[in-house]
Amino acid sequence: MASTFDISGPALISFSGGRTSAYLLHRILQRGLRNDVHVVFADTGKERSETYDFVHECAARWSVQVHWVRRPSPEGVLPFEQLITDRGYLPNPIMRMCTTELKIRPMKRFMLDRGYEEWTMVLGIRADEPLRAAKLLAPTKERWDHRLPLYRAGITEAHVMKFWSTQPFDLALRPHEGNCDLCFLKTLTKRLDIVREHPDFVDWWARQEERTGQQFKAATKSRKGEPPYRSLPMLARASSSSSQGAEEGGSVDCVCHD
Ligand code: SF4
């Protein structure tokens, strides 16, 4: 019997290195992967090492080829850093050039390089994310349309977490720690929580602010006037741990999947 996890090509499965998209990949692999269906991980260069390990482990344990794509940059320079240099400004929630240029465009290039003119983009959006699903299921002017098997199958975060609790391996990160290590879209509470354990993550983000003379900002009014990244270690030391709160809200909405 046909399943929502049967993917006909040409298609790209966007694997973010998070638990949800890994679960999606697992379900699709159970049905069999066709030759013109490609699994792609877009590397911003700012992902956590735990994410990289998880992507490698999924590929190895499940015997699937995961294609890593990256925006080109000079040797030794992070694609993200080069992007900011090229544009001369920092990404923000309205002009989220990091998502577009570091993830979406390299995935598009991957498919174009293989001669595809149009394709399906398969994303790990769950049934408990109806707003994100609605946006993605609207007509698009791109070369691809979106397919959301988890959403269609009624899979929620609880299903995903239950699956991983039974597996011999897992992503070694809490939900709010995924994606770029101190992504500006994470709430201040979540970033402080991460900084308490990893103060060394701050320097790269602070340097981007300092060299552009700008500040990373999120959209909502309450987030305006946020402290510069350089001050986060001090703020983290001054405030108490809120890891419980940081668990809430899950991961950042980047490429519309975890
Ligand atoms: S996780 Fe955040 S910083 Fe990284 S690409 Fe996505 S929006 Fe940009």
Side-chain angles (χ1 to χ4, degrees), residues 36-228:
D36 55 355
V37 179
H38 308 281
V39 184
V40 177
F41 169 69
D43 178 19
T44 65
K46 285 300 293 168
E47 313 291 330
R48 295 280 294 260
S49 61
E50 293 90 340
T51 298
Y52 296 130
D53 291 345
F54 185 61
V55 172
H56 282 305
E57 191 156 17
C58 288
R61 286 183 181 260
W62 298 343
S63 302
V64 58
Q65 182 173 16
V66 177
H67 300 273
W68 289 47
V69 295
R70 259 190 166 208
R71 183 182 197 263
S73 62
E75 204 175 326
V77 180
L78 282 182
F80 202 158
E81 190 152 353
Q82 187 62 40
L83 174 64
I84 292 170
T85 302
D86 292 346
R87 294 294 175 88
Y89 59 86
L90 299 175
N92 62 65
I94 310 293
M95 303 269 285
R96 210 197 295 177
M97 63 178 179
C98 45
T99 306
T100 309
E101 296 295 329
L102 300 175
K103 295 190 172 181
I104 295 173
R105 243 183 236 281
M107 289 195 281
K108 178 179 177 181
R109 179 86 271 149
F110 174 90
M111 293 301 272
L112 290 175
D113 285 350
R114 275 151 189 80
Y116 300 116
E117 301 260 323
E118 295 183 329
W119 56 88
T120 300
M121 172 98 82
V122 187
L123 295 171
I125 301 294
R126 302 179 308 257
D128 53 322
E129 301 173 298
L131 293 180
R132 292 163 78 184
K135 269 191 215 165
L136 288 163
L137 293 174
T140 159
K141 289 182 187 158
E142 297 287 1
R143 290 168 177 268
W144 58 88
D145 56 7
H146 294 118
R147 183 155 165 189
L148 316 177
L150 299 177
Y151 176 73
R152 285 179 60 184
I155 301 294
T156 65
E157 186 172 25
H159 291 110
V160 173
M161 297 309 278
K162 188 171 177 203
F163 168 79
W164 284 107
S165 71
T166 65
Q167 296 304 301
F169 72 109
D170 194 0
L171 173 64
L173 292 174
R174 291 169 290 171
H176 68 284
E177 293 180 306
N179 287 307
C180 294
D181 51 24
L182 284 179
C183 170
F184 58 96
L185 295 180
K186 296 180 196 288
T187 64
L188 181 60
T189 305
K190 289 174 182 173
R191 282 181 286 145
L192 290 178
D193 188 73
I194 295 168
V195 168
R196 260 178 223 105
E197 282 180 42
H198 302 281
D200 51 308
F201 289 170
V202 166
D203 189 58
W204 185 86
W205 298 88
R207 279 192 286 111
Q208 308 318 307
E209 290 189 328
E210 287 156 5
R211 75 190 179 100
T212 57
Q214 298 166 13
Q215 211 171 314
F216 285 105
K217 282 194 180 78
T220 58
K221 283 184 183 169
S222 62
R223 301 276 309 272
K224 279 183 182 163
E226 281 184 18

Side-chain angles (χ1 to χ4, degrees), residues 7-56:
I7 306 297
S8 51
L12 180 154
I13 299 170
S14 176
F15 180 23
S16 72
R19 288 184 180 88
T20 297
S21 61
Y23 173 77
L24 168 66
L25 175 59
H26 185 264
R27 294 292 302 264
I28 292 171
L29 291 174
Q30 286 180 315
R31 303 294 300 185
L33 202 62
R34 299 176 194 188
N35 287 341
D36 55 355
V37 179
H38 308 281
V39 184
V40 177
F41 169 69
D43 178 19
T44 65
K46 285 300 293 168
E47 313 291 330
R48 295 280 294 260
S49 61
E50 293 90 340
T51 298
Y52 296 130
D53 291 345
F54 185 61
V55 172
H56 282 305

